[in-house]
Structures are given as structure tokens and as C-alpha cells.
DNA sequence: GTGAATTTGTTCGTATGTATG
DNA sequence: ACATACATACGAACAAATTCA
């Protein structure tokens, strides 16, 4: 790790140490952190400093505090993105996913650009059909760096949403950028999704950054409008 | 104002007082606040308390601080929503708006519900065509409480985005909820927007809350996909 | 279920660092 | 260069919620 830490404010240094502990899996989602007094001793700083670091991380959605109870590493909600403010809601009760294609590829240059990977790099590619109650609701194409792909390869056909899996491996996301657009379904898409050709679909193009600000996922998902709600709430 | 303030934490009370000053126009966007020491004297609290109140409001996007310089009321960016994270980008250089309809109405019960208004209340209704470089890009229907409507009535056919106007009248928004969906254009919409019937449109349904958590705007906007980008970024 | 210990939340005071004007 | 303003950091005390013997 960079030793430029020396010039950074103390509370930032503490913040980095806490995040490291989470990234290295020493503290997992749901785990409780040492109390503020213990952290004061451990890092030899005042309570003010500890609290400021923790406050920032709570604000970042990494930690969770409540009066009287120990501070916890925030759980990644199952089948949720865990990104405060944006709510994807796929409508249905029995959610499943069908793996259409999965490969390590050298093409997909467009995706490599989004993932800040060199053109020579291999990339993990995945096409999946998202289902609700036995009916298709979306086609999703995901592109991942190989290191990340290895982690979710085993759950690609099981986990509806794989961010929780990543979290369990200490891979967190701090920044998500989504671009929303609308398209008319092609005949191919219409056939797969069971709608009429030309029907309006919602397309979501997503780039997810990890804690170190490097991309960990790029995906394009086309949803049928009937089974999908997209809501943004900002405070 | 409610006198339940007595039981609230001091810094919350301070926060409310600061917000009041802004809402009442005593401090306008761009104005500088009194220094922290002055506020300490004025409200007879410690610097910690003042700073905690200010920190919250900075986080809320109401205030703006920088080292060495006085704290300011944040400006509302012209033609921007000012809501960190969500970026609407209407593509074009010469933006204009055409007022199609404007009235005080007693119907539109659906909108009254969204605005938390009683069914007996009058409502301000407005339908506008948003243009870029002389070509239509969206149809927008806005519903506002009468008090708000009066403020923007004079600029309805001039201001492309009226949030800055509201800000100048001390009306701020702190919470925005948007629902994004896709529709196929009806013949009527297609004619107005100059596209083919059935073409995919992006529909954005928006509810905006003021500082006091009461709705100040509800709108539905249908965009052509060619001239509109919707991006969300969350940290 | 009670009560004591623990833990986070709020608030004061003070001192020093650093950027602005 | 200087005064002013916000940023960081220390220490201390009490309040309020939770946890656990």
C-alpha cells in the first residue's frame, strides 16, 4: 500500500484501514466492528477521529450504526443492489436465471473499454435470461474482469444477483453508473422475451466500480416494461 | 412553527433554523452565512453543534463549504436539476419550450394524490413541449400546488427548467423520486414529437419534495430516445 | 424482567493546521 | 503579511439505546 498515508488527515487514514479490513475479509458483512473505545486504543487516536471515519463509511453505505448496539458491516441485501437511492424492482415471486452463454473471450472491445482493460486482456462474458414466475423478463449481458469472473462463474446459473456473492469474497462496489434508455425489441429479443417485435424495452447499461475505483462489472440489460420498475430516490 | 423543537437534538434545531432562514429568503443562493463563531454566539451553542448542523446541510446539498472561505448557500445550477447523482441530458444546443396548455384545474385526481392534496383542492396544470434546435424532444405534463404554480406561471413558456426559478423564491427541493419506464408512442404523441407511431419513448414520472417534505411538483415527461440520455451515478 | 455494563449519540471546551481574501 | 474562516484533532461528560448476566 502507498505510504503517502502520512500526509493524509488521520480520520482518512483510519477510514482506509477500516476499509482494508473489510476488503481483506477480516470483517465480513454482518460482522460487528470493535467498539469505538477499542478502536481508539488500537489506533491511538481520539474518539472524534474514530467517529469521523465511521461516519463517512456509514454515509458511504459500508457500515451501519445504531445507538447502543455495536457498529456492523452492512449486509448486502439478497437480490438487491444495495445502492441507496436506486431501486430496481423486478416483479414476481419465483425468480430464476437461465445461463445462455458464458465464456472467456478476447473480443468485446467495447466492454474492455468500459472496464478500463487493455485490448489484449481476456474478458469474462456472460449472457443470461432473467425469469420471474417462469416467464422471461430480461436479457442481461455481463462483462467482468477475469479475476471477478472466476468468483461468480460457479453461481452464474444460480444466483439471480451476484453482488452478494462478490461481497462475501470481500469485493465491494462503491460507485455505480447506469445509463437508461429505451429501445424497440428486435425479432430475436422479442422471441426470447415472449413479446411482440417492436415493443418498447428498457435498456440499462451499468458500470460498477470497486472500492479502489476500478471497474468490476459492465452489463447491459433489456427489460420488458411489464415486469420491471425503475425508481430513483435522492435525498 | 411547532414547539416540539425542545426535545430534538440541538444540532437538528440549528439545522431547522438555518433552513428557515433560507426558505424565508433571508439567505439567498450564493449568499454567505455568518461564520461559525458568529453562529455560536447567536445561538449560544458550541462549535461542534454548529458544525454538525452545517455538515448535514452540506451533505444535503443545501450549503457549500470550503476551507478558509465563508460558507455559502449553494447555487442552483442553471438548467440543471441540482440533484447529485442523476443526470438528465437533453441533447442539443438551442433549447426552448413551447407551452401547450396551462390551467388551474379541479380534476387530475391522480396528480392530487401524488401531491398529497385533498380532492377538493385546485391544482396547477401545465403541458409543455420541450424543444432542442427547433425539433421536439419531449412532452412534459407538470402538476403543481397553486402556491408553487403562481411562482412559475410567468416563466412557464420561457424557462426550460423552472427549478432555478423556484430556488430564487426560496423554494428548495431535497428529495426527488423518479420512476422510469418505456412506452410505445401513440399516434398523438408521434405526431407531436415527429416520430413514427410505436417508436419507443422514455417516460419519466417525477415527484419532487420541498425542504419540509411536502411535494412541490409532480410531472410526467415522455422523451424521444434520440435526444435524451439518462444517467445515474451513485457513490 | 430488572438492572448494570456496554455502546453509540450529543454536546461542551480547547488547540492547532491550512486555505482564503 | 495578516486576520479570518473552515478543517482536523484532542479530551471530557452525560444521554439514550441496547445487551446480557
Amino acid at each position: 500500500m502507498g505510504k503517502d498515508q502520512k500526509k493524509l488527515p488521520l480520520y482518512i487514514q483510519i477510514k482506509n484501514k477500516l476499509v482494508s479490513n473489510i476488503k481483506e475479509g477480516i470483517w465480513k458483512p454482518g460482522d460487528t466492528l470493535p467498539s469505538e473505545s477499542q478502536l481508539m486504543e488500537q489506533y491511538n487516536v481520539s474518539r472524534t477521529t474514530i467517529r469521523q471515519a465511521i461516519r463517512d463509511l456509514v454515509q458511504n453505505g459500508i457500515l451501519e450504526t445504531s445507538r447502543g448496539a455495536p457498529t456492523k458491516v452492512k449486509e448486502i441485501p439478497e437480490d438487491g443492489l444495495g445502492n441507496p437511492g436506486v431501486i430496481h424492482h423486478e416483479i414476481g415471486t419465483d425468480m430464476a436465471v437461465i445461463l445462455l452463454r458464458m465464456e472467456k473471450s478476447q473480443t468485446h472491445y467495447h466492454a474492455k473499454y468500459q472496464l478500463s482493460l487493455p485490448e489484449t486482456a481476456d474478458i469474462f462474458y456472460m449472457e443470461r435470461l432473467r425469469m420471474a414466475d417462469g416467464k422471461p423478463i430480461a436479457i442481461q449481458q455481463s462483462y467482468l474482469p477475469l479475476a471477478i469472473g472466476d468468483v461468480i462463474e460457479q453461481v452464474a446459473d444460480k444466483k439471480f444477483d451476484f453482488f452478494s456473492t462478490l461481497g462475501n469474497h470481500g469485493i465491494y462496489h462503491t460507485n455505480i453508473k447506469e445509463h437508461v434508455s429505451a429501445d424497440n425489441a428486435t425479432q430475436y429479443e422479442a422471441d426470447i422475451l415472449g413479446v411482440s417485435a417492436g415493443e418498447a424495452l428498457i435498456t440499462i447499461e451499468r458500470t460498477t466500480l470497486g472500492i479502489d475505483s476500478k471497474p468490476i462489472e459492465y452489463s447491459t440489460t433489456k427489460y420488458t416494461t411489464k415486469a420491471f420498475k425503475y425508481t430513483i430516490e435522492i435525498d
Side-chain angles (χ1 to χ4, degrees), chain A:
Chain A
M1 302 292 170
K3 270 277 122 291
D4 321 289
Q5 299 273 79
K6 272 294 176 280
K7 32 182 50 167
L8 290 178
L10 260 182
Y11 77 97
I12 302 271
Q13 296 181 40
I14 301 292
K15 202 167 72 167
N16 290 338
K17 290 181 200 216
L18 298 182
V19 167
S20 289
N21 282 340
I22 296 172
K23 280 193 13 181
E24 290 166 18
I26 299 173
W27 299 329
K28 295 189 185 16
D31 283 1
T32 63
L33 266 65
S35 74
E36 291 173 357
S37 358
Q38 286 174 301
L39 292 171
M40 285 168 64
E41 272 211 358
Q42 182 173 342
Y43 295 121
N44 201 37
V45 295
S46 74
R47 183 153 176 235
T48 312
T49 304
I50 295 290
R51 280 185 64 75
Q52 185 157 0
I54 289 177
R55 178 160 36 73
D56 276 24
L57 293 175
V58 167
Q59 164 61 33
N60 258 286
I62 310 279
L63 298 181
E64 213 173 10
T65 63
S66 66
R67 205 189 198 123
T71 298
K72 296 191 309 180
V73 179
K74 195 163 178 179
E75 303 259 17
I76 287 83
E78 189 69 15
D79 271 359
L81 266 176
N83 38 337
V86 177
I87 302 153
H88 297 73
H89 185 50
E90 288 159 310
I91 298 165
T93 51
D94 185 22
M95 312 304 269
V97 62
I98 295 176
L99 186 59
L100 300 179
R101 217 188 311 273
M102 180 167 72
E103 63 190 35
K104 285 163 187 164
S105 162
Q106 281 157 350
T107 54
H108 302 295
Y109 297 105
H110 170 244
K112 286 183 193 175
Y113 174 73
Q114 294 292 335
L115 291 173
S116 302
L117 291 176
E119 293 207 350
T120 55
D122 275 12
I123 201 170
F124 187 90
Y125 169 66
M126 202 167 66
E127 183 172 348
R128 307 191 303 167
L129 189 59
R130 301 171 77 81
M131 313 278 290
D133 303 324
K135 294 163 69 80
I137 58 174
I139 305 174
Q140 179 173 48
Q141 297 177 304
S142 303
Y143 305 88
L144 306 149
L146 278 190
I148 310 277
D150 289 342
V151 173
I152 59 103
E153 185 166 7
Q154 314 118 21
V155 295
D157 58 343
K158 302 185 193 70
K159 278 287 185 179
F160 198 67
D161 211 90
F162 49 73
F163 278 94
S164 51
T165 302
L166 291 179
N168 293 335
H169 285 75
I171 302 169
Y172 280 78
H173 55 280
T174 56
N175 179 296
I176 292 183
K177 186 153 65 174
E178 296 190 334
H179 176 66
V180 186
S181 54
D183 294 290
N184 295 95
T186 65
Q187 186 64 55
Y188 168 74
E189 291 162 349
D191 287 346
I192 292 185
L193 291 172
V195 299
S196 315
E199 185 165 320
L201 300 179
I202 303 174
T203 302
I204 297 184
E205 205 181 333
R206 180 175 67 191
T207 308
T208 307
L209 302 186
I211 281 186
D212 52 4
S213 294
K214 287 205 258 296
I216 59 175
E217 184 232 13
Y218 168 71
S219 67
T220 301
T221 311
K222 295 196 169 200
Y223 289 92
T224 63
T225 56
K226 285 184 285 290
F228 184 67
K229 300 237 166 294
Y230 191 93
T231 304
I232 300 96
E233 186 164 356
I234 293 143
D235 298 297

